[in-house]
Amino acid sequence: MALCTYDEQSRTWYGIQMVSIYNPKANVGEVLNHILVRTPERIMQIDMDTGNRMTCAEFRTRMIRFVQNLTDAGLRKGDIVAMANGNSENVAPLACALMTIGAPFNPLAPGFNEDNMAHMLRLTEPKMIFCDDSNVEVVGKAARSVLDGERPIYVFESSRTNVEHAEDLLKPTGREEQFVPPHLGNSHELLSMILCSSGTTGPPKGVCVTHAQIVATIGSYPMAKPMTVFNFSPLYWGTGVYVLLSTFSGLSTRLITRRPFSEETFFEAVEKYRANFVFLPPSYASQIVRHERVAQVDFSSLRMLSLGGSYVSEALRDKIDQLLPNGRTYNSVGTSEIGWVSCDLAKRKHGSVGTPTINIAIKIVDEAGNDLGIGEKGQVLIKGSEPFVGYYKNEVATKNTIDERGFTRSGDVGYFDEEGYLYLIDREKDIFKFRGFHISPSELEAIVAQIEGVLEVCVVAIPADADHTTELPTAAIVRSAGSSLSAKQITDIVDQKVSDFKRLRGGVYFMDHLPKTQTGKILRRKVLEKVLQLVEGNKVSC
């Protein structure tokens, strides 16, 4: 069976077309409840930090209690709930409960600083907020700065006496056995969640994901056999959401940990818990292959190691593939707007991100929107079985992203070969990623430009290593006349104003001038070339 087909008339590549086994008119809560009831004894989730194993029956009980207690607390269909949480034991049951109520959740990065938190809270105006003990102060300050009136903030796994505890919403109601998930209306319009996605400039936008999109994902991606699945991503990342959904679509067991990435935690997942499927960004994978004991680790359980989120080098894949006796690496691409887009499931081809996945259509167009053929480079447009409906409260961005045929502009430039393998060769805009986090150069430039002694600034991305596993934010600066501003002064100021992932890890480089066009626009590519020359010069001098 071919994994993709090409329609020459429309110049569109299609992944395998599958009809969802669930009714597209059903709401997410109805589908989740049905699956949990069918397999009550199946282990749904394993907490690597505590060893706790949660069956589907227990997961369903917690989900129901969240539904009933939150409803008693006044939460209703259409109310938005912010979730600034890592992967603790009760986060997944809460997220599923919110979708069952019809209250879309907005997952935020647990490590967001106050400004990033405040931006999304201002946009979504949540009725309730959930966070962790580690970020409750930041979340509280952000909420008070942008939201009118008091909003309840529930904290997971906290010993504080002056906060509302999320676990209180798990108290027995006495009505669990009578629970029937409500039908909430049109799944094609009803929002299940609002994911964060960086735009071409500035802070994140709110990506609206409908119930129909989630039901299609659960019903169209059955795995060949149950797997133990793992990644480090919280629900803020699309990969975190879709690995959670895989426990419903593929009857798999999800490993969770509160710990940040470390090689030893990864080794524990594959050796002790026998993980079969793992997703990693290339920056993590690069650290793993360099670890001193990687050659002694038992990788025999690992069948699929999916890499994505940024550029994946062939050399890195070669090193990992040599470690996997019963599996291999897979190069994957996904977007918050569409979900899983492409993967090299059939075979690996140098430089390719694979063929379109199930129910995905991809076409390449030129700047005028004309369809291009095989081997022709242009803008990459994507469409799923259920349409992307747009960005929350942002009609301009929605209009600029969705074309008149319902395709979503990915912001990437690429081409297809004759076998339907997609190659991404550049970004249409200047956004880049550090360990999966989107970085907006203009946002950092706006901060640096306000520093006294800075005349001009351009932020570029330099590769972190020879394998290009991630990109480091780097500032090229022209100082004002007479200024003695130092690189350390600049990084110290920026560090105080941005979230950790936005720090200028690539460094600060001073120049006499920045390359520009005749109209005065800074040539970012030329700046990058000059920065890379300076980086190489520093290596030689060392």
Side-chain angles (χ1 to χ4, degrees):
M1 182 180 184
L3 290 182
C4 63
T5 56
Y6 182 60
D7 179 52
E8 191 166 355
Q9 184 174 359
S10 65
R11 294 189 168 186
T12 305
W13 284 96
Y14 293 92
I16 294 173
Q17 299 300 293
M18 292 186 65
V19 176
S20 172
I21 61 174
Y22 296 110
N23 188 337
K25 294 182 179 180
N27 300 147
V28 174
E30 295 171 302
V31 173
L32 300 184
N33 184 72
H34 172 72
I35 294 171
L36 294 170
V37 168
R38 276 171 38 211
T39 56
E41 300 305 316
R42 177 171 66 90
I43 301 299
M44 178 89 171
Q45 176 178 284
I46 299 176
D47 188 333
M48 291 173 57
D49 304 330
T50 66
N52 289 344
R53 293 171 175 257
M54 191 183 301
T55 64
C56 286
E58 178 61 23
F59 190 101
R60 180 174 181 267
T61 296
R62 297 189 193 192
M63 182 183 80
I64 290 171
R65 287 175 177 169
F66 271 131
V67 168
Q68 293 175 336
N69 286 312
L70 285 169
T71 301
D72 291 345
L75 192 66
R76 297 290 183 268
K77 170 186 170 182
D79 292 336
I80 294 172
V81 175
M83 293 180 63
N85 302 105
N87 287 322
S88 58
E89 186 171 295
N90 290 304
V91 167
L94 170 64
C96 293
L98 293 172
M99 290 188 286
T100 301
I101 295 170
F105 67 91
N106 174 217
L108 306 175
F112 265 171
N113 68 8
E114 186 179 332
D115 288 343
N116 292 139
M117 288 283 185
H119 165 72
M120 289 308 300
L121 295 177
R122 183 188 297 113
L123 175 66
T124 62
E125 299 181 279
K127 186 166 184 177
M128 294 179 180
I129 302 171
F130 287 81
C131 66
D132 296 332
D133 187 74
S134 60
N135 62 3
V136 62
E137 289 92 353
V138 172
V139 171
K141 288 179 182 178
R144 288 189 293 273
S145 70
V146 297
L147 298 177
D148 296 330
E150 287 293 320
R151 310 294 170 98
I153 299 177
Y154 294 96
V155 188
F156 276 107
E157 299 184 342
S158 176
S159 60
R160 301 171 192 251
T161 58
N162 61 339
V163 300
E164 295 191 65
H165 296 272
E167 291 77 12
D168 291 343
L169 296 168
L170 289 170
K171 65 184 179 183
T173 65
R175 295 174 280 128
E176 292 90 347
E177 293 300 321
Q178 289 77 47
F179 174 76
V180 176
H183 182 71
L184 304 164
N186 190 341
S187 287
H188 298 280
E189 298 177 356
L190 188 67
L191 297 186
S192 62
M193 62 189 78
I194 301 173
L195 299 177
C196 293
S197 177
S198 290
T200 55
T201 59
K205 300 186 291 292
V207 178
C208 296
V209 181
T210 65
H211 276 240
Q213 285 177 280
I214 298 301
V215 170
T217 297
I218 295 173
S220 302
Y221 288 91
M223 291 186 178
K225 56 183 176 180
M227 287 188 176
T228 298
V229 299
F230 174 71
N231 68 355
F232 287 92
S233 307
L235 296 186
Y236 168 71
W237 299 112
T239 50
V241 170
Y242 287 101
V243 167
L244 167 59
L245 294 177
S246 76
T247 61
F248 291 94
S249 62
L251 302 182
S252 295
T253 299
R254 175 172 170 253
L255 300 176
I256 64 166
T257 180
R258 299 155 190 76
R259 289 170 272 172
F261 167 78
S262 74
E263 298 93 327
E264 289 297 338
T265 302
F266 170 75
F267 296 154
E268 179 185 347
V270 298
E271 287 192 300
K272 180 178 179 180
Y273 293 99
R274 311 303 292 161
N276 311 120
F277 172 91
V278 175
F279 172 84
L280 291 174
S283 57
Y284 291 177
S286 179
Q287 294 177 61
I288 288 167
V289 298
R290 290 185 172 95
H291 194 271
E292 58 185 5
R293 80 175 189 92
V294 68
Q296 284 74 51
V297 175
D298 178 7
F299 289 104
S300 60
S301 68
L302 192 52
R303 301 199 294 270
M304 299 180 69
L305 200 159
S306 179
L307 298 169
S310 59
Y311 172 78
V312 181
S313 77
E314 296 298 322
L316 178 60
R317 295 188 68 180
D318 288 341
K319 292 174 185 176
I320 299 173
D321 283 346
Q322 291 172 7
L323 299 170
L324 307 182
N326 301 314
R328 72 170 177 92
T329 56
Y330 293 82
N331 196 354
S332 295
V333 169
T335 72
S336 301
E337 293 84 354
I338 303 297
W340 193 26
V341 170
S342 71
C343 185
D344 55 358
L345 289 170
K347 64 181 178 180
R348 175 178 161 185
K349 296 187 74 172
H350 186 94
S352 174
V353 295
T355 58
T357 53
I358 293 173
N359 293 336
I360 293 295
I362 306 179
K363 62 169 60 251
I364 309 295
V365 301
D366 63 18
E367 293 183 358
N370 300 309
D371 297 332
L372 299 177
I374 294 171
E376 296 181 296
K377 299 174 183 177
Q379 300 172 19
V380 179
L381 306 187
I382 310 166
K383 183 191 286 187
S385 61
E386 294 294 337
F388 168 53
V389 297
Y391 299 105
Y392 190 70
K393 293 183 179 179
N394 195 334
E395 292 183 7
V396 173
T398 298
K399 184 178 180 180
N400 290 338
T401 301
I402 304 173
D403 79 355
E404 64 278 0
R405 295 177 288 188
F407 280 82
T408 297
R409 297 181 175 92
S410 69
D412 291 316
V413 173
Y415 66 94
F416 277 101
D417 68 13
E418 68 286 348
E419 290 186 293
Y421 275 73
L422 177 63
Y423 296 78
L424 301 180
I425 56 176
D426 204 351
R427 291 189 181 277
E428 190 177 0
K429 300 295 182 182
D430 297 317
I431 296 294
F432 60 93
K433 290 183 178 181
F434 169 69
R435 294 180 179 172
F437 286 91
H438 285 84
I439 306 292
S440 168
S442 62
E443 183 182 1
L444 289 172
E445 288 163 359
I447 293 171
V448 176
Q450 295 176 17
I451 299 174
E452 185 175 352
V454 173
L455 179 63
E456 291 182 315
V457 58
C458 178
V459 172
V460 295
I462 66 172
D465 51 37
D467 288 330
H468 290 245
T469 57
T470 194
E471 298 168 304
L472 306 179
T474 308
I477 291 173
V478 178
R479 283 181 287 215
S480 302
S483 172
S484 59
L485 189 65
S486 69
K488 185 177 186 306
Q489 287 175 307
I490 292 170
T491 55
D492 285 348
I493 293 171
V494 173
D495 286 353
Q496 294 174 13
K497 294 179 177 291
V498 301
S499 295
D500 179 74
F501 63 86
K502 296 181 181 179
R503 293 183 177 185
L504 296 172
R505 283 181 165 82
V508 173
Y509 293 87
F510 294 105
M511 300 180 179
D512 293 330
H513 69 279
L514 298 180
K516 298 185 181 71
T517 65
Q518 292 182 351
T519 57
K521 182 179 180 181
I522 293 174
L523 289 167
R524 199 178 298 274
R525 290 180 182 273
K526 295 292 185 181
V527 173
L528 176 59
E529 290 175 7
K530 294 186 68 172
V531 168
L532 291 175
Q533 290 172 3
L534 292 172
V535 171
E536 287 301 315
N538 284 351
K539 289 180 181 178
V540 172
S541 64
C542 292

